[in-house]
Amino acid sequence: MKSVFVTVGSTCFDDLIASMTSDEVVKALVDRGYTDVVLQVGRGSFVPDPQSCPGLRLEAFRFKESIAENIQLADLIISHAGAGSCLEALGAGKPLLVVVNDKLMDNHQVELAKQLQADSHLLYCTCSTLSQTLRDMDLSALRPFLRGQPQKFASFMDKAVGLVIHSHSSKICTSQDCMVDINCMVINLEYVHCSWTRSQMQNMSYNFSSAFRRPDSYQECPQYLQENGQNVACRIPLHKNGQFDAFYTKLSMGGNLTVKKDYAHLKERVKINPPFNLSVNWSANGELCLYWVNNVSKPSCVEVMIRYRRGSDQWQVSAEYQSTSYCIPLVPMGVNFTFQVKSRIGNLCGPGFWSEWSAPLQWGNYTGSISAPVPQSWWYLWLSILGVIVLIALAVLLCYIERVKVLILPVVPDPSKNLQDLFYKHNGQC
């Protein structure tokens, strides 16, 4: 029995999870003798059905207190390119295939993956090349990541990611315990959300501060987000003036360790909320149209992507475009469809990150035939014509009835006139 463990850390990487359940990837894994796949899907919206991968036993979960056991039991680790996940898998001496999320802006993951592949410590690919990489990979060519190399790894991360790690003691912090990355995003043009990844630092306290424009104006986090009583993220109201200028962050850990990360600007780190108020309309010509409302007031700034599937088929994904509707032609009644939409700030206003997929909207599931709706104007025309026809038919019927009555029951003459003439002519005498 050979198993694969797939991890996306604390991120959302639905494309990787969907790729793992595609027919091409499933076939490549089965051909290489793998029998079990365990998926850690993180904050993603896509959780595959356990029966969706014929030939493989599939298990999926979002988070665990520790994934160390899953890593130890796996014969192959497939991971996103997060520094903490890479180091944990390499430290366990497991073959590692890193899948880079090529949709991310300001993407330092490629540099990290390239460097570690150049040193023969791992293999890397994208979602589009995952199946080919699985078919062609030679895991025997990988070199183990030696225990003495975390310092080298940390040094490389300082250069590739832009992290500067300071220790207030004489001991330099280069172990896995100190691998922390600060990730900040502008959410729906309303606030800046900053979170930090943690590895083996659960018992430390975290204090976050930030500054807009100038690095000498740090302010303590105004609103912490907590898990189990520990600060894990911060929300900072977005300044309307200079909101996309330089942004400086500082994370203090345990009172004697500080991590800083600076952003030259935030324009390319905008993530909006997914579209809402989804609705579907089926027209008389068989066109099925999806409508929605975007979360940003400037329509020219928003790009959308739609995915839909018929019944339990594979998802079909549209190209990126600007609109608030999407139509599928020639759709018969009685067919089940599921729709989802996601959006981002487009290139005209500064490229941003894709939102999460909207809540799914289902259409169909009819058990009987439903007549197509007729436009209201035609109703009036047909009713008018029908009324005229009914009136003509009644008139014809009335004339027909009178004619039949004359033929069957002839008119009896009135004898009173003749009797009156005889009476007056003969003076009442016979």
Side-chain angles (χ1 to χ4, degrees):
M1 183 179 71
K2 294 175 65 177
S3 64
V4 179
F5 177 56
V6 182
T7 176
V8 302
S10 61
T11 66
C12 171
F13 198 178
D14 281 342
D15 288 347
L16 173 56
I17 302 303
S19 296
M20 288 301 305
T21 58
S22 67
D23 294 340
E24 296 83 1
V25 170
V26 170
K27 185 177 185 305
L29 292 173
V30 172
D31 290 346
R32 296 191 73 99
Y34 292 100
T35 57
D36 295 78
V37 175
V38 179
L39 303 174
Q40 185 262 315
V41 302
R43 295 185 294 106
S45 59
F46 177 58
V47 181
D49 189 291
Q51 308 301 322
S52 60
C53 298
L56 293 174
R57 284 188 292 271
L58 184 66
E59 175 189 344
F61 65 90
R62 290 194 178 277
F63 298 103
K64 283 184 178 180
E65 186 69 25
S66 173
I67 60 173
E69 182 180 359
N70 296 100
I71 291 176
Q72 290 296 331
L73 294 175
D75 297 286
L76 171 66
I77 309 295
I78 298 178
S79 170
H80 74 129
S85 299
C86 290
L87 190 57
E88 189 169 4
L90 292 173
K94 297 292 182 175
L96 176 61
L97 171 58
V98 167
V99 181
V100 174
N101 189 349
D102 52 6
K103 292 183 178 180
L104 294 180
M105 302 294 178
D106 189 25
N107 193 353
H108 57 264
Q109 295 187 354
V110 176
E111 287 76 14
L112 171 62
K114 281 183 177 179
Q115 180 63 43
L116 291 173
Q117 180 172 270
D119 293 338
S120 299
H121 295 310
L122 56 76
L123 300 172
Y124 90 93
C125 64
T126 62
C127 289
S128 60
T129 60
L130 176 58
S131 59
Q132 186 65 40
T133 303
L134 288 171
R135 287 192 294 268
D136 299 340
M137 66 183 182
D138 181 10
L139 300 180
S140 63
L142 296 179
R143 296 190 300 171
F145 193 77
L146 302 179
R147 293 184 178 273
Q149 290 185 327
Q151 293 185 353
K152 177 182 177 182
F153 184 84
S155 176
F156 171 74
M157 282 299 298
D158 287 347
K159 298 176 182 177
V161 183
L163 284 176
V164 181
I165 300 178
H166 303 274
S167 175
H168 301 296
S169 65
S170 58
K171 182 179 179 181
I172 303 299
C173 185
T174 55
S175 69
Q176 182 178 349
D177 293 350
C178 300
M179 293 307 304
V180 178
D181 185 19
I182 303 171
N183 183 43
C184 296
M185 303 282 295
V186 177
I187 304 299
N188 215 46
L189 301 179
E190 297 174 357
Y191 59 89
V192 182
H193 177 90
C194 293
S195 60
W196 39 92
T197 59
R198 300 164 298 150
S199 180
Q200 311 258 341
M201 308 168 63
Q202 285 77 5
N203 294 324
M204 285 188 178
S205 61
Y206 301 90
N207 295 299
F208 181 83
S209 55
S210 61
F212 288 93
R213 290 189 174 183
R214 303 194 317 273
D216 58 351
S217 58
Y218 280 101
Q219 294 184 355
E220 178 72 15
C221 172
Q223 181 183 358
Y224 280 109
L225 303 181
Q226 294 188 333
E227 290 181 5
N228 300 322
Q230 191 174 49
N231 297 334
V232 296
C234 175
R235 287 184 178 179
I236 308 102
L238 191 63
H239 291 183
K240 293 185 177 180
N241 297 325
Q243 59 185 3
F244 292 135
D245 290 347
F247 186 65
Y248 304 90
T249 66
K250 181 170 60 176
L251 180 67
S252 299
M253 302 171 291
N256 62 353
L257 185 66
T258 300
V259 176
K260 291 184 177 182
K261 186 173 183 179
D262 303 334
Y263 295 91
H265 54 78
L266 294 173
K267 187 175 182 179
E268 295 182 354
R269 301 193 65 81
V270 178
K271 185 175 182 179
I272 59 179
N273 292 331
F276 62 100
N277 280 358
L278 273 66
S279 62
V280 174
N281 180 54
W282 187 82
S283 61
N285 60 4
E287 191 174 55
L288 185 64
C289 293
L290 173 71
Y291 303 92
W292 62 88
V293 178
N294 289 321
N295 265 293
V296 177
S297 59
K298 295 182 179 180
S300 60
C301 287
V302 181
E303 290 182 349
V304 296
M305 184 180 294
I306 297 90
R307 73 176 183 179
Y308 65 92
R309 63 181 176 186
R310 176 173 175 167
S312 58
D313 294 346
Q314 293 289 331
W315 287 102
Q316 303 293 320
V317 182
S318 73
E320 305 158 14
Y321 71 108
Q322 292 180 326
S323 181
T324 55
S325 65
Y326 182 82
C327 295
I328 305 173
L330 302 177
V331 176
M333 295 294 286
V335 178
N336 295 328
F337 275 89
T338 304
F339 294 93
Q340 286 185 294
V341 188
K342 65 180 179 180
S343 58
R344 70 175 179 182
I345 298 297
N347 292 324
L348 292 177
C349 304
F353 291 77
W354 284 106
S355 72
E356 309 298 334
W357 287 106
S358 66
L361 174 66
Q362 293 186 341
W363 178 89
N365 197 25
Y366 294 103
T367 58
S369 61
I370 299 179
S371 58
V374 180
Q376 192 70 17
S377 59
W378 287 101
W379 274 111
Y380 290 122
L381 178 60
W382 284 113
L383 287 175
S384 301
I385 294 174
L386 183 61
V388 173
I389 293 174
V390 170
L391 289 176
I392 294 173
L394 289 174
V396 172
L397 182 62
L398 181 61
C399 293
Y400 177 77
I401 291 175
E402 288 295 327
R403 175 110 179 138
V404 171
K405 182 178 179 183
V406 170
L407 294 175
I408 297 176
L409 301 173
V411 178
V412 178
D414 185 4
S416 62
K417 186 177 183 303
N418 295 331
L419 292 174
Q420 288 178 359
D421 290 343
L422 290 172
F423 182 80
Y424 290 115
K425 182 176 179 180
H426 301 283
N427 197 19
Q429 297 178 359
C430 295

